Amino acid sequence: MNRELSIGILGGGQLGMMLCQASKEIGINTHIYCPDEDSPAKHYSNKFTCKDYLNEKEIINFSNSVDIITYEFENIPKETLELINDNKLRPGIKSLEQTQDRLIERKLLEKLNIPYAPYKELNDEEDFNYSISNFGDAIIKTRRFGYDGKGQISVNQKTNFDKNISSLFNQSIIEKKIPFEFEFSQVSCRDIFGNVFHFPLTRNIHENHILKHSYAPLDLPNDLEEYAREITKKIISDLDHVGVLTVEFFKTKENILVNEIAPRVHNSGHWTIEGCSSSQFKVHMQAVSGIKIIQPKLLNECHMVNLIGDEINDWINKKSDSDVNIHLYHKNEIKNGRKMGHLTYIKDKNIL
Ligand code: ATP
Ligand code: MG
């Protein structure tokens, strides 16, 4: 038998942690590289390097120590990925480049003829005035480094233009606030042979711009489900992406719009650990290892709840049972708005 593959993961948060847990089950060794000692993933990886992303020598050593490198979040500096041989990096640099900047992401959607919310680049006061008079309620979003609603400000025609807004010029977009019916996401995976498969759709509820609940599977009328999959397939294929990619959607009265592309495993796919025959984490590690992916089967209807900030205190000493699965992220510090763990309730067992 071949020796075990060794896969390096850039980023050591809870997504990295669950990638490491899945890897253990399928016989893959993991090496986490992340700049933060308080890293959920370090408790489960075979190796852990705590160094800065821009430390060239350490990135090269890391790259030499593994067979393949993947990433668990999109805010890794592009310079870091440029130090890694293209053949070793899955997904490739294109997936990160096209999605870590909201303006470039929207241009990609435009190129692919995929619907998204009306927006404008925010470069001067005129852009601001134009947007609030044409969009009504709007959201200013920083182009880069936003997550969990960070870097977003809600504005409308009553908002006074001031320094807080002008300080965001040349690094933000301003987008129409969409009166959506609900939000949902499509988690999909592409293998090195170009095969794409889709997990069941998930309905998502955000509180204070942070994902709070996911319900799966979501039942959408057949033509819309087909359309969401077609959109996701277009994106994942255009990027030559290898591994899991997630598309977040708004369902409006008339249509569906893409809100965001995440070139990685996603919080709205956590339920697949218990809900499917293979989780988003396993199939990601298999896909980046070069294994042909088999379509996972839906096993259970699930409801995932994020534990945010001090909500974790109610669950630290509890044990999972047949109804609820408790996932703790082992973060040292509890902060307001920080994802500390999640619960997955199995609603209907063996629905298929
Ligand atoms: P995350 O990391 O959770 O994906 P993020 O910081 O990348 O968040 P977005 O996904 O753009 O930011 O926005 C977070 C949430 O804010 C959305 O899921 C949605 O609930 C709300 N939101 C964002 N843009 C809009 C919009 N144009 N209209 C209405 N609601 C919006
Ligand atoms: Mg989002």
Side-chain angles (χ1 to χ4, degrees):
M1 200 177 141
N2 293 337
R3 69 176 179 88
E4 282 184 356
L5 262 188
S6 174
I7 299 200
I9 302 172
L10 291 161
Q14 60 270 15
L15 299 176
M17 176 189 101
M18 289 181 267
L19 287 170
C20 290
Q21 289 170 331
S23 299
K24 275 197 198 317
E25 289 179 38
I26 53 181
I28 291 173
N29 273 314
T30 50
H31 182 171
I32 291 284
Y33 187 108
C34 111
D36 192 356
E37 266 302 337
D38 186 9
S39 151
K42 81 171 175 193
H43 307 287
Y44 297 91
S45 60
N46 300 89
K47 261 180 103 176
F48 178 68
T49 300
C50 184
K51 290 280 188 255
D52 197 86
Y53 288 128
L54 296 173
N55 184 329
E56 250 179 64
K57 190 170 144 258
E58 289 295 338
I59 288 287
I60 290 167
N61 286 343
F62 169 65
S63 176
N64 289 336
S65 77
V66 293
D67 299 301
I68 299 287
I69 293 180
T70 188
Y71 43 92
E72 61 101 70
F73 86 133
E74 59 272 40
N75 291 331
I76 314 266
K78 200 180 134 201
E79 295 78 4
T80 305
L81 300 194
E82 281 166 351
L83 295 169
I84 299 164
N85 187 322
D86 279 356
N87 300 331
K88 244 189 190 181
L89 189 64
R90 291 179 186 157
I93 206 161
K94 188 174 174 192
S95 298
L96 186 115
E97 240 172 18
Q98 297 283 307
T99 60
Q100 69 176 185
D101 180 319
R102 287 187 203 274
L103 180 62
I104 297 176
E105 185 181 70
R106 271 148 188 76
K107 293 195 165 151
L108 171 72
L109 296 173
E110 189 179 348
K111 179 188 96 174
L112 297 175
N113 205 11
I114 293 170
Y116 50 84
Y119 77 95
K120 197 161 185 4
E121 284 179 59
L122 182 63
N123 295 334
D124 54 32
E125 196 173 344
E126 214 177 297
D127 293 335
F128 176 74
N129 290 332
Y130 171 91
S131 305
I132 52 172
S133 48
N134 282 279
F135 300 158
D137 286 339
I139 304 179
I140 298 177
K141 298 182 174 183
T142 53
R143 284 170 54 179
R144 298 179 56 132
F145 304 120
Y147 68 96
D148 292 344
K150 292 185 175 63
Q152 298 193 7
I153 312 179
S154 295
V155 291
N156 59 37
Q157 276 162 309
K158 292 194 194 119
T159 308
N160 288 324
F161 178 79
D162 62 11
K163 271 204 297 215
N164 284 336
I165 293 170
S166 60
S167 68
L168 297 168
F169 286 170
N170 301 314
Q171 49 167 307
S172 310
I173 60 168
I174 179 162
E175 184 174 274
K176 183 180 166 61
K177 190 165 189 182
I178 301 297
F180 53 72
E181 290 178 345
F182 57 84
E183 295 184 76
F184 69 97
S185 55
Q186 175 65 65
V187 178
S188 300
C189 187
R190 182 171 175 273
D191 64 21
I192 60 165
F193 309 102
N195 302 305
V196 178
F197 75 82
H198 308 284
F199 281 100
L201 292 175
T202 304
R203 178 170 177 178
N204 301 314
I205 297 178
H206 290 73
E207 286 174 9
N208 306 317
H209 294 265
I210 304 176
L211 181 67
K212 182 63 189 166
H213 301 274
S214 285
Y215 297 89
L218 163 70
D219 246 341
L220 267 190
N222 263 339
D223 53 333
L224 280 185
E225 174 161 346
E226 212 24 66
Y227 185 38
R229 293 189 161 171
E230 194 186 301
I231 286 175
T232 309
K233 190 169 179 184
K234 252 195 205 175
I235 296 170
I236 205 169
S237 305
D238 186 78
L239 294 173
D240 282 326
H241 187 89
V242 173
V244 167
L245 174 142
T246 306
V247 181
E248 298 174 8
F249 291 91
F250 298 141
K251 163 77 177 71
T252 62
K253 222 159 136 198
E254 310 78 27
N255 200 359
I256 57 178
L257 303 177
V258 169
N259 171 39
E260 203 177 23
I261 305 166
R264 53 167 170 80
V265 287
H266 195 261
N267 196 166
S268 67
H270 290 359
W271 69 271
T272 60
I273 296 174
E274 289 85 12
C276 292
S277 56
S278 189
S279 71
Q280 62 164 350
F281 303 102
K282 277 190 193 163
V283 296
H284 179 79
M285 293 312 273
Q286 287 169 332
V288 302
S289 304
I291 295 171
K292 185 172 180 289
I293 299 301
I294 299 161
Q295 170 78 48
K297 289 198 182 73
L298 175 67
L299 301 178
N300 302 303
E301 190 181 336
C302 293
H303 170 199
M304 191 275 327
V305 185
N306 270 336
L307 298 172
I308 315 242
D310 58 14
E311 288 169 358
I312 191 76
N313 290 331
D314 294 339
W315 294 93
I316 283 171
N317 296 317
K318 299 219 167 93
K319 290 234 171 333
S320 297
D321 59 31
S322 59
D323 288 322
V324 62
N325 294 275
I326 306 169
H327 297 258
L328 306 176
Y329 301 159
H330 316 289
K331 294 182 184 174
N332 291 335
E333 212 187 326
I334 298 178
K335 288 188 204 158
N336 262 349
R338 193 175 199 201
K339 291 173 181 167
M340 301 298 297
H342 76 265
L343 310 172
T344 302
Y345 292 93
I346 295 180
K347 289 177 70 193
D348 258 334
K349 292 213 173 122
N350 302 317
I351 58 176
L352 285 186

